Amino acid sequence: MFLDEELEEKIKEGATPGELLQTCFNCLPKPETCAPVVFLNTLRQIENSWKLFCKRHPDYRPDAIKYYFCDYIECPQSIRDFMRW
């Protein structure tokens, strides 16, 4: 199942915005178990899936992924540069 489809299922179950974002970040591999490019590409895929979900649900902010990742997870500047955040 694709992430945007999983988010659709979660919203039908009554998930909160925080639970939806956590579902997104549960898809991230652990940085120490993969190559940096794999981690960054997966993060980009997650962001794109979230934005697709937000197009269908305008009540959610497309940039919430960026703020959640930068505010609640220590986000190195190199990741911010790669993601153009």
Side-chain angles (χ1 to χ4, degrees), residues 48-76:
N48 289 335
S49 293
W50 177 258
K51 287 180 179 180
L52 178 62
F53 172 77
C54 289
K55 283 184 181 180
R56 292 187 219 130
H57 301 278
D59 295 343
Y60 294 94
R61 294 178 51 188
D63 59 354
I65 287 283
K66 172 175 70 171
Y67 292 116
Y68 185 83
F69 193 75
C70 292
D71 291 346
Y72 295 104
I73 300 171
E74 291 183 24
C75 182

Side-chain angles (χ1 to χ4, degrees), residues 28 35-45 78-79 82-83:
L28 270 177
V37 70
V38 172
F39 180 83
L40 294 171
N41 286 333
T42 304
L43 182 58
R44 174 138 312 143
Q45 290 171 348
S78 59
I79 291 176
F82 179 84
M83 297 298 293

Side-chain angles (χ1 to χ4, degrees), residues 1-44:
M1 180 182 300
F2 293 107
L3 179 57
D4 61 306
E5 294 169 345
E6 188 175 347
L7 293 171
E8 291 291 340
E9 290 295 319
K10 292 277 186 183
I11 202 167
K12 288 178 186 174
E13 296 170 1
T16 65
E19 291 171 337
L20 294 173
L21 288 170
Q22 189 58 49
T23 299
C24 292
F25 286 108
N26 287 343
C27 297
L28 270 177
K30 294 186 190 269
E32 61 272 2
T33 63
C34 66
V37 70
V38 172
F39 180 83
L40 294 171
N41 286 333
T42 304
L43 182 58
R44 174 138 312 143

